[in-house]
Amino acid sequence: MAPKGSERVVKKIVAENRKARFNYEIIDTYEAGLVLKGTEVKSLREGKANIAESYASDEDGEIWLINSYLPEYLQANRFNHEPRRRRKLLLSGREINRLRAGINREGMTLIPLKIYFNDRGRAKMEVALAKGKKLHDKRESEKERDWNRQKSRLLKDNG
């Protein structure tokens, strides 16, 4: 048995939106559950999902994931799911109200960052409340990334 303080958090990342942090300024992140069918879970476990072009939307007091791609599970034949169907995100009422305020009042966007399985085997999604970056902001973040890369090379060579 493991000691009490050494709790391990295991996250198996299934899909990640890598361009989100480049295209958007992340304000706040939330962990949401996903309402999935059985074949969708099996398809996720194969690790072939894509959330690069997806977004989340507020409709009738609920948050929905739109345009995410979970391919059909090959062994499920006629009991399969639609690959691009809308999926409901499970959040608490307080979180939904906070997200709705950010989307409606402040003009922010709700974007998915990654889908993963937590330590209990549940499919979770990390969703971010974000503002879109302007072109000059993107250039600035690219310059900063290049400088950090160059700085680490110099320190590695000299230090």
Side-chain angles (χ1 to χ4, degrees):
M1 187 162 199
K4 199 166 194 165
S6 67
E7 295 176 13
R8 243 180 16 161
V9 177
V10 179
K11 289 184 181 180
K12 181 185 177 224
I13 295 176
V14 178
E16 191 170 11
N17 190 352
R18 302 178 98 220
K19 291 191 109 181
R21 295 191 189 277
F22 180 72
N23 290 330
Y24 298 94
E25 177 188 344
I26 307 298
I27 306 298
D28 205 3
T29 60
Y30 298 90
E31 182 182 62
L34 287 161
V35 176
L36 299 172
K37 295 182 178 179
T39 56
E40 289 174 327
V41 175
K42 290 181 178 187
S43 180
L44 267 179
R45 291 205 187 275
E46 288 181 349
K48 297 179 181 171
N50 186 2
I51 57 170
E53 299 160 359
S54 61
Y55 62 96
S57 172
D58 167 43
E59 296 170 13
D60 300 328
E62 296 176 337
I63 306 292
W64 293 87
L65 179 66
I66 299 170
N67 203 26
S68 63
Y69 179 74
L70 280 120
E72 291 183 342
Y73 185 63
L74 295 176
Q75 286 80 11
N77 59 31
R78 67 179 183 188
F79 301 108
N80 240 323
H81 61 275
E82 288 180 42
R84 290 214 183 262
R85 79 176 185 90
R86 297 166 14 128
R87 293 165 181 90
K88 186 176 175 183
L89 296 180
L90 302 173
L91 293 157
S92 71
R94 182 176 290 149
E95 289 174 334
I96 290 173
N97 290 336
R98 220 177 278 147
L99 291 173
R100 289 175 68 190
I103 292 169
N104 295 335
R105 274 190 240 135
E106 301 167 26
M108 294 189 209
T109 310
L110 196 56
I111 54 169
L113 295 177
K114 59 186 161 187
I115 297 177
Y116 58 91
F117 286 102
N118 66 1
D119 55 340
R120 296 178 61 196
R122 306 263 191 236
K124 298 287 184 177
M125 173 173 276
E126 188 173 307
V127 182
L129 196 59
K131 281 186 178 179
K133 282 187 184 177
K134 305 282 188 232
L135 184 61
H136 60 87
D137 293 333
K138 291 180 187 179
R139 286 187 190 140
E140 189 64 36
S141 61
E142 196 169 337
K143 282 181 193 174
E144 187 177 327
R145 186 174 58 224
D146 289 343
W147 167 243
N148 286 336
R149 189 178 302 135
Q150 188 177 9
K151 187 170 57 172
S152 67
R153 283 185 192 143
L154 289 171
L155 289 173
K156 182 180 172 187
D157 292 341
N158 295 335

